[in-house]
Amino acid sequence: MLVDRFGRTATDLRVSVTDKCDLRCTYCMPAEGLPWLPREEVLSDDELVRLVRIGVERLGIREVRLTGGEPLIRPGLPGLVERMAGLTPRPRLSLTTNGVALGRLAAPLVAAGLDRVNVSLDTLDPQLFRSLTRRDRHDRVIAGIDAALAAGLGPVKINTVLMRGINDHEAADLLRWSLERGCELRFIEQMPLDAQHGWDREKMVTAEEILERLSAEFDLVPEGADARGTAPAETWLVTGYRAPNGDPARVGVIASVTRPFCGDCDRVRLTADGQMRTCLFAREESDLRAPLRDGADDAEIAERWRIAFLGKKAGAGIGEPDFVQPMRPMSAIGG
Ligand code: SAM
């Protein structure tokens, strides 16, 4: 198992399959993009599957979430999912995506074994979407969400980052839209992980403000700590609404900045170039690609991974006076 010195066990592996993205969200990266990883540094399908297999067979990984960059732009993603679904024990397989290519890929991904999807959507307004993402793709994202629902991936989770004076007036509308579509909305507090280092704590929209806005239009009932478990989102039941499967409808808030949940964290990360990270905010990485390419056997790689994971810090430390933003931005770590 992957256990750190505070006794936390990681069972949830977030795998970035590419650092590239087909959107240019203003709060994530500059208009011109970023210096992408050279092709030879990115793990091949065989290398990725091998690391995930080691995680599943030897280290107790039970959930694998594919992310990026934008995971749907990695060629052959359904094939990669199929190979991961063939591992024993079979991990639960999920995807975090901007949804642009989901219209085309939702059905093949489900056929390959994908279990769940989170789609990022910050606005219902196509014009605002265009200025926020610097791309005119709103209709394709909506079509992608519908394709995911039609392919049986419901309840599709929607991830939204609210920004003051930009899209925070849409909080209640986004929730209503998600509930009516049979999606589960998660608001994510904006974190200091942008490539431009422009994050400002004073300007971010806090969980408290989000709940205040939602409560003006919805009756929200907190689900409490037991329902949350190790999940990053705190959840509330939305009175009067049902999920497509008949369960009570929910909304979640991921308050990484104002209500950090590091004590319950069960996550470990792998970047597209094979670096193991214990946390989004870690300042250190452990190179698993080098031993992989140098001919190390599975046992040796698992042991390196296990030892490196022991160094996971107690907390992300965003509120600490000595906090320093990690070198890599969110898109290069895998959000
Ligand atoms: N491209 C995929 C997507 O859009 O979901 C996966 C990667 S993206 C980095 C993952 C999520 O991180 C998106 O929901 C995005 O809005 C969010 N995100 C990006 N920068 C963020 C930041 N500084 N704080 C909080 N969330 C952020």
Side-chain angles (χ1 to χ4, degrees), residues 21 23 25 27-28 67-71 96-99 118-122 159-161 188-194 199 330-331 334-335:
C21 191
L23 298 182
C25 299
Y27 60 93
C28 191
T67 180
E70 172 47 43
T96 300
T97 172
N98 62 29
N118 287 31
V119 182
S120 305
L121 179 68
D122 297 326
N159 289 344
T160 299
V161 178
I188 309 175
E189 279 183 348
Q190 195 175 2
M191 297 178 273
L193 285 171
D194 56 315
W199 180 84
M330 179 89 144
S331 62

Side-chain angles (χ1 to χ4, degrees), residues 193-306:
L193 285 171
D194 56 315
Q196 305 93 312
H197 291 226
W199 180 84
D200 181 347
R201 192 184 179 109
E202 301 306 315
K203 289 201 193 132
M204 61 164 281
V205 181
T206 64
E208 202 180 326
E209 289 175 79
I210 295 166
L211 290 166
E212 230 174 75
R213 282 182 179 270
L214 297 181
S215 300
E217 298 196 33
F218 297 91
D219 179 34
L220 303 181
V221 181
E223 285 213 274
D226 287 349
R228 179 183 195 168
T230 56
E234 287 175 70
T235 52
W236 285 259
L237 300 180
V238 189
T239 306
Y241 287 89
R242 294 256 154 209
N245 63 3
D247 284 353
R250 299 184 164 74
V251 60
V253 179
I254 301 180
S256 316
V257 180
T258 61
R259 303 180 192 174
F261 35 86
C262 305
D264 294 321
C265 180
D266 67 349
R267 286 169 289 288
V268 58
R269 293 170 187 276
L270 193 61
T271 63
D273 56 346
Q275 307 299 305
M276 190 281 286
R277 298 178 62 93
T278 54
C279 173
L280 268 178
F281 293 94
R283 303 272 308 152
E284 296 89 33
E285 301 182 335
S286 305
D287 189 3
L288 297 181
R289 189 188 61 196
L292 194 74
R293 291 188 177 174
D294 288 348
D297 65 16
D298 289 357
E300 199 179 327
I301 292 170
E303 194 53 17
R304 279 191 187 226
W305 194 338
R306 203 185 334 257

